[in-house]
Amino acid sequence: MISLRQRVAEQPEGSSELLSPVLRCIEQHYDRDLSLGELARCAGVTQQHLCRVFRRVMRMRPGEYLAQRRVQ
């Protein structure tokens, strides 16, 4: 199974820089009610752009990842 770090590292340049603060925010605050807008602000991009990149890299939407992280 490919690790999260490997998956991010294999993406086009800029993807890891964009997702790193978002993933860090999720890891630090997964117990809070994080909105897509908050996550997009962490990355400094629009919600639509964050969703597009997140889905391409992580193969799921940010909300799905957040829910999965909460279960873990």
Side-chain angles (χ1 to χ4, degrees):
M1 180 175 221
I2 296 175
S3 76
L4 172 65
R5 290 183 194 268
Q6 288 173 318
R7 192 177 299 155
V8 171
E10 292 172 354
Q11 295 305 309
E13 188 142 343
S15 295
S16 61
E17 290 83 12
L18 183 128
L19 291 184
S20 290
V22 174
L23 294 172
R24 192 170 32 255
C25 183
I26 290 172
E27 291 302 313
Q28 293 173 350
H29 305 289
Y30 65 87
D31 57 331
R32 285 190 24 229
D33 194 19
L34 292 171
S35 70
L36 183 58
E38 285 180 272
L39 296 175
R41 280 190 294 279
C42 286
V45 297
T46 65
Q47 294 177 24
Q48 293 82 7
H49 186 66
L50 174 61
C51 281
R52 212 173 11 258
V53 173
F54 201 98
R55 195 168 179 136
R56 182 181 69 229
V57 174
M58 304 301 294
R59 299 186 183 106
M60 65 180 80
R61 289 176 295 225
E64 291 172 307
Y65 180 81
L66 178 58
Q68 198 174 69
R69 176 61 184 98
R70 286 176 176 154
V71 170
Q72 290 175 347

